[in-house]
Amino acid sequence: MPGCGKSSIGRRLAARLGLPFVDADTEIEAAAGLPITEIFTRYGEPHFRDGERRVIARLLAGPPLVLATGGGAFTDARTRAAVARSGAVAVWLRCTLPVLLRRVAGREHRPLFLNRDPREVLERLMTARHPTFAEANVTVDCTDEPPETTTRKVMEALAAHREPARLPVRLGARSYDVLVGQGLLARAGALLAPVLPARRLVVVTDAAVAPLHLPRLLAGLAEAGIAVAATITVPPGEASKCFAELERVVTEALAAGADRRTAVLALGGGVVGDLAGFAAAVALRGLPFIQVPTTLLAQVDSSVGGKTGINLALGKNLVGAFHQPQIVLADTDVLATLPPRELRAGYAEVAKHGLLQGALWSWCEAEGARAVAGDPAALAHAVLESCRLKAGVVAADEREESAEGGRALLNLGHTFGHALEAERGFDGTLLHGEAVAVGLGLAAALSARLGHSSQELPGRVISHLQECGLPARIGDIPGGFSAARLLARMRKDKKVRDGAMRFVLLRGPGDAFTTAEVPAAAVESLLRDEGCGA
């Protein structure tokens, strides 16, 4: 904003960093051979902004420097995109109105303030510019302090700044990024604005997540001028993935005025993501969708890949759609609020990815206990590497259409796990991740029984999961199961082809495959040996 001190701070910052300082306005005047006021008068603002963008892009393509742009430069979408592409760090010097008024006193002769009330001018500019200024990488609040103090604050903010890891999911026109890092909820508006068709959305969350994370998300959205048409809260738990809640979410979103440019944002775990994503897929034949996962399970698995859906009494995820998000924000800070049981359940999907990838399984055996204990660095690594694996698999086989392998490999442990969940009626007594953990143990055991893997693999998988506090055998789940009923559930699984059950099996960590060549008798025998009744 005028009066924020960007030139004086920029010069001091450049001196501290040992870099040249450049004022974009000076460069533009030199290139045009005219003062900026005359460029505006002769050719108009669109012509000026086009030239400004080219000058800034040229400067950013050169050697490192500290660049102070004109106040309106960052409000131009193409200029912001050029700054982002260059890898530059954009810093917003944010001042309050009283501070700016004191600093612009005596500038009434300048074109911006000529014959105008400075307060009115500044209020209008703040309303127009602040939402886009919020997209800067770093924001430093400035007061009536000496320039050296502000410069020190900028230096400290730059030293502390960490951009989130950005993993692309390459799907042509439906490509998007998965962002993994700390503090993303507070910056949600800045991170989402570049991918939203309109600065307007509907938030879907659940009653457990809302008190913990919704206020921070809403504040981050408001800072970037993103309006929330409605906040829809569903009950926590798998039971919310049903037609009744789907109808309610769609109805409330449309009643709030959602149109085809209004995005649906899922703030929560896998249940909220699946339900909100399916609502986005079917409302008005498709609304933009954003994933902001708050559980480890959702961050490492369900938020990436575009699978959405609800459950039937017959089984899990039997009604749904592929509907890719515009972006995924995985804020690893929120994992500190998870109950230990939820954290352990999410880790089951990390272990699954480890078995699929190989090297990640070695990391799991060495460091997985740290992740389950809540170590931030271990959790960040688990999320990042799981998303990296899944992004690659989804890009290669988005809709799980490969005849063998492909995206279906991500169902390792899930044929067993979904059957176990369905038998418990999705009542919360068996979490999805816990069912997957048991499924991983059963898949490893079945692989060894059929001669595909070493005989020591099941013990290795089961021991690791149990050491991390997860159930890994049917006997670890309270209550009994019927082998016949579990087999009946598996025969209704969505992965069944031509009436044949399909399983993901292992030859070893990093070597998984899909097959229908599994005798039902072998599965039944395994289930009976694991303690299931008839």
Side-chain angles (χ1 to χ4, degrees):
M1 290 287 291
C4 72
K6 60 183 178 292
S7 295
S8 60
I9 303 303
R11 288 191 181 90
R12 288 172 170 80
L13 186 64
R16 288 198 179 200
L17 295 173
L19 295 173
F21 171 75
V22 176
D23 187 297
D25 285 353
T26 302
E27 290 287 314
I28 292 164
E29 289 180 337
L34 292 170
I36 285 176
T37 52
E38 188 147 349
I39 300 173
F40 264 84
T41 302
R42 284 194 191 184
Y43 304 108
E45 184 172 0
H47 177 85
F48 170 78
R49 294 295 175 210
D50 190 56
E52 179 183 55
R53 177 178 53 82
R54 291 198 303 271
V55 168
I56 290 174
R58 172 174 58 79
L59 292 168
L60 293 175
L65 80 164
V66 175
L67 173 66
T69 69
F74 204 69
T75 62
D76 183 89
R78 293 181 300 171
T79 299
R80 290 199 305 280
V83 171
R85 283 195 303 270
S86 74
V89 179
V91 180
W92 176 20
L93 302 180
R94 181 168 60 186
C95 296
T96 62
L97 181 61
V99 170
L100 292 176
L101 279 170
R102 287 192 290 273
R103 290 184 178 180
V104 302
R107 296 188 184 187
E108 289 81 1
H109 64 286
R110 296 196 176 185
L112 192 63
F113 298 102
L114 192 61
N115 299 320
R116 296 178 183 176
D117 175 12
R119 176 181 290 273
E120 183 277 327
V121 171
L122 290 172
E123 287 178 341
R124 175 175 52 81
L125 288 176
M126 291 172 86
T127 299
R129 292 179 176 179
H130 276 201
T132 49
F133 285 179
E135 293 182 38
N137 306 90
V138 172
T139 299
V140 176
D141 287 305
C142 309
T143 63
D144 276 331
E145 61 206 7
E148 283 298 332
T149 302
T150 303
T151 304
R152 175 178 52 77
K153 286 165 65 175
V154 173
M155 289 287 291
E156 291 171 352
L158 288 172
H161 174 66
R162 296 290 182 273
E163 277 295 291
R166 189 175 288 265
L167 300 172
V169 181
R170 304 186 192 280
L171 295 169
R174 295 179 309 288
S175 296
Y176 57 95
D177 288 336
V178 180
L179 274 57
V180 181
Q182 296 177 295
L184 304 192
L185 283 186
R187 292 188 60 209
L191 298 169
L192 297 181
V195 303
L196 290 176
R199 294 192 182 222
R200 176 179 169 84
L201 48 78
V202 168
V203 175
V204 181
T205 187
D206 72 36
V209 170
L212 296 171
H213 306 303
L214 184 60
R216 197 152 27 115
L217 172 70
L218 295 179
L221 295 173
E223 189 169 78
I226 296 174
V228 177
T231 298
I232 304 168
T233 304
V234 302
E238 196 74 27
S240 285
K241 285 175 57 173
C242 63
F243 276 111
E245 288 299 322
L246 174 68
E247 181 181 14
R248 185 169 72 86
V249 170
V250 172
T251 300
E252 290 190 22
L254 297 182
D259 59 29
R260 285 185 173 174
R261 288 166 53 82
T262 303
V264 175
L265 184 151
L267 174 71
V271 168
V272 169
D274 284 358
L275 174 63
F278 191 30
V282 299
L284 301 178
R285 297 191 176 93
L287 301 181
F289 177 46
I290 295 158
Q291 285 271 25
V292 184
T294 60
T295 65
L296 180 60
L297 190 147
Q299 289 192 2
V300 302
D301 188 58
S302 61
S303 64
V304 180
K307 280 188 175 181
T308 71
I310 58 175
N311 304 327
L312 299 179
L314 289 173
K316 189 177 173 75
N317 297 330
L318 293 181
V319 179
F322 286 95
H323 191 55
Q324 299 294 344
Q326 305 288 109
I327 193 171
V328 179
L329 302 186
D331 185 340
T332 54
D333 282 346
V334 305
L335 301 179
T337 66
L338 284 180
R341 185 186 176 199
E342 289 281 355
L343 198 63
R344 291 193 296 270
Y347 179 76
E349 293 285 355
V350 179
K352 178 198 78 176
H353 291 145
L355 287 168
L356 293 175
Q357 198 254 7
L360 182 57
W361 175 251
S362 298
W363 179 89
C364 286
E365 291 186 305
E367 306 290 345
R370 287 176 51 224
V372 170
D375 180 80
L379 286 170
H381 182 85
V383 174
L384 189 61
E385 293 308 312
S386 290
C387 289
R388 195 187 311 279
L389 169 83
K390 189 159 188 185
V393 172
V394 169
D397 183 22
E398 178 186 4
R399 301 178 70 86
E400 205 169 305
E401 294 171 330
S402 293
E404 299 297 336
R407 187 167 180 171
L409 293 175
L410 295 171
N411 291 307
L412 176 64
H414 284 59
T415 300
F416 289 109
H418 284 172
L420 292 166
E421 279 186 277
E423 276 297 282
R424 281 289 183 263
F426 309 114
D427 60 2
T429 59
L430 179 66
L431 299 180
H432 174 67
E434 293 168 339
V436 168
V438 176
L440 292 176
L442 291 169
L446 184 59
S447 300
R449 285 193 176 210
L450 296 177
H452 298 301
S453 74
S454 68
Q455 295 303 304
E456 66 82 37
L457 180 65
R460 188 174 161 190
V461 172
I462 290 168
S463 294
H464 175 66
L465 293 170
Q466 290 177 332
E467 285 166 6
C468 289
L470 282 161
R473 308 187 70 163
I474 287 179
D476 295 337
I477 304 172
F481 291 91
S482 156
R485 287 181 62 83
L486 288 175
L487 276 168
R489 295 282 188 188
M490 286 186 255
R491 289 191 175 101
K492 292 183 174 68
D493 189 87
K494 62 184 185 298
K495 296 178 289 298
V496 167
R497 288 187 191 173
D498 301 322
M501 293 185 294
R502 295 184 64 79
F503 291 85
V504 183
L505 300 179
L506 294 161
R507 299 184 184 93
D511 190 359
F513 64 100
T514 56
T515 181
E517 302 299 319
V518 177
V523 179
E524 182 177 8
S525 174
L526 171 62
L527 293 174
R528 295 292 294 271
D529 289 348
E530 286 292 307
C532 289

